[in-house]
Amino acid sequence: MALLTPETTRWVAAATALVFVLASVSFVVPASGSVSPVPFDDTVKTGGTSVDVRTAEVEGFEVPLAQVHFSRYRYIIGYYDVRTAAADVSTPESARQFGDPLAVFVTDYATVSPDLDGDGYLRTEHNRTPGWARASEASFVVDSGARVPSGPIAVPFSDADAARSFADAHGGDVVDWATLRDRAGDPLSSRLAAFESSVAAHHEWANRTAAASDALFDRPVSTVVGEDAPTVGAAVESAPANTTVYVPAGTYSVDAVELNRSVTLRGAGSDTRLVGDGNGSVVHLRADRSAVGDLSVSGVGEVGTRRVRAENESVDWDTRVELAYGRGDAGVVLDGANGSAVRGVKIDTPASGVIARESADSVVDGVTVRGADEPADGFMGVVLIGSRSVVQDSTFIDGRDGVYTHRADGSVVRDNRMEDGRYGVHQMYTSDALVADNVVRGDRIGVVLMTRPVGNLVVGNDVRESDFGFMPAGSDTYVADNVFADNDYGMDVSGDRQVYVRNVVAGNGVGVRGSSTFPTNVVVRNDIVDNGVRVESSLGPMRTWTAGGEGNYWGDLPLEDADDDGVYDRAYQPSGAVDAELGREPGALALSESPAMRALRRARDAVSGLRGSGVVDAAPRTEPVQPETLASLNATEETDD
């Protein structure tokens, strides 16, 4: 047995005192009372997909809903998908986190004459609003033609005859609640499959869009600066559409160069230098399928943000931000230039590098932007506003944000490098975007999602030596296969219905900060190791970071795995006063297995009043999920030492 040092003895004494204080809390179980359905807007919402919800809101079709009243959770959980509710209510994770389901209610289509439109979407006669029925008393039509954008749905009815009539008209089988629960399957697996499909689709779109821009740089040369025209501006003005203006190596003083036709401005590489007068943006692309490439730009104005003029003082905050962020000075500005491209351009700027306003399907590829030495003095490497675009294989050094997006839904930001700025990737009002395989070093935040976006994909990024690796808001974000290492904080678990899987969170001051108020996020199959504090969590109820019997890897813990199934035999609370010290303090294991702690764990599982805030992993892994990545991180640390 390990010897206890005086310092360890003091720690054990303090922890023991904490145990008895917690154990003295009254065992209060709230009375269930009568349970009735509530308006769905009053529930904590989960399940479904953001595409289903948003499309239904716009087009007015029905998404069958469920609401579950649990015995140990003060809020009512609303599900956008009846099958997800059926799968969730009886899982061990749900029981541990919320208690037993006191009642489950589902939308009732028995009296609203439901039908299907040409897309298979469920609609009610005269848009009548369905009521609620107890799930245990309802009949469900499954495998019919009814669907939402993400796939088939189960349609509930309080009357079995109404359910059979719907099935006769639209196909499918009629089942009861118990059968639906048995057939629900693993909701996490289906969500992961949908997310991975979305990642692949985003990459495919970005590949097609980038390939389409190749033709812009294969246009025949019509005008050579210095031979066919005396200045860059004159050459651009005289060039026919769908041709290239070639700028040989050299330094060219320019005013604002305006591409008002589908013309490509191309240089001889970084030895072709366009130098503005320092009073505004240097190159403007104002026509569809225009392009600039293979040159360097400097002499950009110093205005990172334009103040909103007095006549715009009454506009909403969103518009103010869009005007402020999108109307500053930049090396290259795309303004209504759909399908355009900026490739192989080096920009030195005290403001922004590239601004793309309402320029759909544009590509920023292989650019290098060097901004102001101090983030507060500069602005953005790339700004995307109003339309989806691709930013790839580029480097952003210093300045404020590497890539900033504003209502640029569906954009792809991939394979870039950001160093020594404020934020690496900063998304505002941007949903359904892919942020993939970027490298961020020394920023305040590696990737930050703001203003409650939905359906974003944050995959394969590597963020180190920053204040925060990842900080999200919103819902339905897929956070997978990232490395958050050597930061003050690794990643933040917040928002609603987010999924965190296969991430490596290592060597941070705080590994994970759990800051969501409602426990609707999924955190499984992650490697969270060698952090100063494993989990910091003080808001909201106890969260269970386990799903489908799978948890996370927290390092080599001194716990038993008697059946050798790769899962430690008891739940692990990384935010707990005692469990947090397992493997670090010699006395922690003995204290964690003491009769008092065992009694407290049993009581905490049974009584919501003893749970408090924090995180528990009901199936902690004995082996890492990403052993090769962890080995690579360890090798890097040894090399640095």
Side-chain angles (χ1 to χ4, degrees), residues 290-306:
S290 52
V292 57
D294 301 321
L295 48 79
S296 65
V297 176
S298 60
V300 181
E302 297 182 352
V303 178
T305 173
R306 299 288 189 197

Side-chain angles (χ1 to χ4, degrees), residues 10-34:
R10 289 191 295 271
W11 176 85
V12 172
T16 303
L18 176 62
V19 169
F20 286 107
V21 169
L22 290 174
S24 68
V25 178
S26 298
F27 280 45
V28 178
V29 180
S32 59
S34 61

Side-chain angles (χ1 to χ4, degrees), residues 146-236:
R147 62 184 300 275
V148 291
S150 64
I153 55 174
V155 185
F157 296 83
S158 62
D159 181 77
D161 289 338
R164 284 189 287 270
S165 176
F166 184 87
D168 289 343
H170 303 292
D173 300 320
V174 179
V175 301
D176 60 13
W177 176 241
T179 304
L180 184 67
R181 287 168 60 179
D182 290 341
R183 295 173 56 169
D186 180 5
L188 178 58
S189 295
S190 60
R191 287 191 74 191
L192 292 177
F195 278 132
E196 286 298 326
S197 176
S198 184
V199 170
H202 279 72
H203 277 303
E204 290 171 4
W205 171 80
N207 292 341
R208 293 194 305 271
T209 303
S213 71
D214 290 344
L216 305 182
F217 298 95
D218 291 333
R219 288 167 166 165
V221 175
S222 63
T223 311
V224 178
V225 177
E227 296 181 8
D228 303 311
T231 65
V232 174
V236 169

Side-chain angles (χ1 to χ4, degrees), residues 51-52 67-68 84 161 165 283 296 346 349 409 418 456 520 561 602 614 623 629:
V51 173
D52 297 339
Q67 57 176 271
V68 185
T84 301
D161 289 338
S165 176
V283 179
S296 65
K346 294 184 177 181
T349 176
D409 293 356
M418 295 88 166
N456 285 299
T520 58
D561 177 17
R602 287 195 298 270
E623 298 293 334
T629 302

Side-chain angles (χ1 to χ4, degrees), residues 7 259 348 639:
E7 181 178 335
L259 276 67
D348 284 330
T639 301

Side-chain angles (χ1 to χ4, degrees), residues 164-520:
R164 284 189 287 270
S165 176
F166 184 87
D168 289 343
H170 303 292
D173 300 320
V174 179
V175 301
D176 60 13
W177 176 241
T179 304
L180 184 67
R181 287 168 60 179
D182 290 341
R183 295 173 56 169
D186 180 5
L188 178 58
S189 295
S190 60
R191 287 191 74 191
L192 292 177
F195 278 132
E196 286 298 326
S197 176
S198 184
V199 170
H202 279 72
H203 277 303
E204 290 171 4
W205 171 80
N207 292 341
R208 293 194 305 271
T209 303
S213 71
D214 290 344
L216 305 182
F217 298 95
D218 291 333
R219 288 167 166 165
V221 175
S222 63
T223 311
V224 178
V225 177
E227 296 181 8
D228 303 311
T231 65
V232 174
V236 169
E237 288 179 6
S238 64
N242 300 313
T243 66
T244 295
V245 172
Y246 180 69
V247 188
T251 301
Y252 300 83
S253 296
V254 297
D255 295 328
V257 178
E258 304 274 347
L259 276 67
N260 295 313
R261 296 182 304 287
S262 298
V263 170
T264 298
L265 180 65
R266 191 168 185 180
S270 58
D271 289 336
T272 298
R273 297 178 292 274
L274 304 187
V275 182
D277 61 7
N279 290 315
S281 299
V282 179
V283 179
H284 293 260
L285 278 59
R286 302 188 187 277
D288 292 351
R289 294 190 63 74
S290 52
V292 57
D294 301 321
L295 48 79
S296 65
V297 176
S298 60
V300 181
E302 297 182 352
V303 178
T305 173
R306 299 288 189 197
R307 291 186 177 276
V308 181
R309 295 183 181 275
E311 59 265 26
N312 292 317
E313 294 268 338
S314 62
V315 302
D316 60 85
W317 182 83
D318 172 25
T319 304
R320 281 173 170 272
V321 173
E322 182 174 338
L323 291 171
Y325 279 43
R327 299 290 170 176
D329 298 332
V332 180
V333 175
L334 288 70
D335 196 352
N338 300 315
S340 296
V342 182
R343 179 182 295 181
V345 176
K346 294 184 177 181
I347 302 172
D348 284 330
T349 176
S352 291
V354 179
I355 296 175
R357 296 191 295 262
E358 302 292 346
S359 297
D361 302 327
S362 292
V363 178
V364 179
D365 185 2
V367 307
T368 299
V369 179
R370 184 176 292 276
D373 292 338
E374 294 295 327
D377 296 334
F379 225 59
M380 315 306 188
V382 172
V383 177
L384 305 180
I385 288 187
S387 299
R388 68 174 181 172
S389 296
V390 180
V391 181
Q392 64 182 22
D393 297 315
S394 297
T395 300
F396 306 100
I397 301 172
D398 297 331
R400 191 171 299 185
D401 300 348
V403 178
Y404 171 85
T405 70
H406 192 104
R407 297 203 185 281
D409 293 356
S411 291
V412 174
V413 180
R414 63 182 184 180
D415 300 303
N416 303 289
R417 185 177 182 91
M418 295 88 166
E419 297 181 7
D420 300 326
R422 182 184 67 165
Y423 305 151
V425 179
H426 180 189
Q427 292 189 180
M428 293 272 283
Y429 295 102
T430 298
S431 297
D432 190 35
L434 172 63
V435 180
D437 304 313
N438 301 286
V439 173
V440 183
R441 296 289 185 269
D443 279 17
R444 181 180 170 191
I445 305 177
V447 180
V448 57
L449 314 180
M450 295 185 177
T451 56
R452 296 200 59 76
V454 293
N456 285 299
L457 311 162
V458 180
V459 178
N461 302 282
D462 187 321
V463 183
R464 308 187 198 186
E465 302 160 12
S466 300
D467 293 350
F468 277 87
F470 173 64
M471 186 177 293
S475 61
D476 291 310
T477 306
Y478 182 50
V479 187
D481 301 303
N482 301 283
V483 173
F484 303 118
D486 303 322
N487 307 289
D488 292 344
Y489 286 81
M491 69 180 185
D492 195 75
V493 175
S494 59
D496 175 42
R497 297 175 292 175
Q498 325 279 37
V499 174
Y500 297 73
V501 62
R502 298 187 307 275
N503 300 288
V504 173
V505 185
N508 305 281
V510 175
V512 185
R513 186 176 72 171
S515 58
S516 57
T517 305
F518 307 119
T520 58

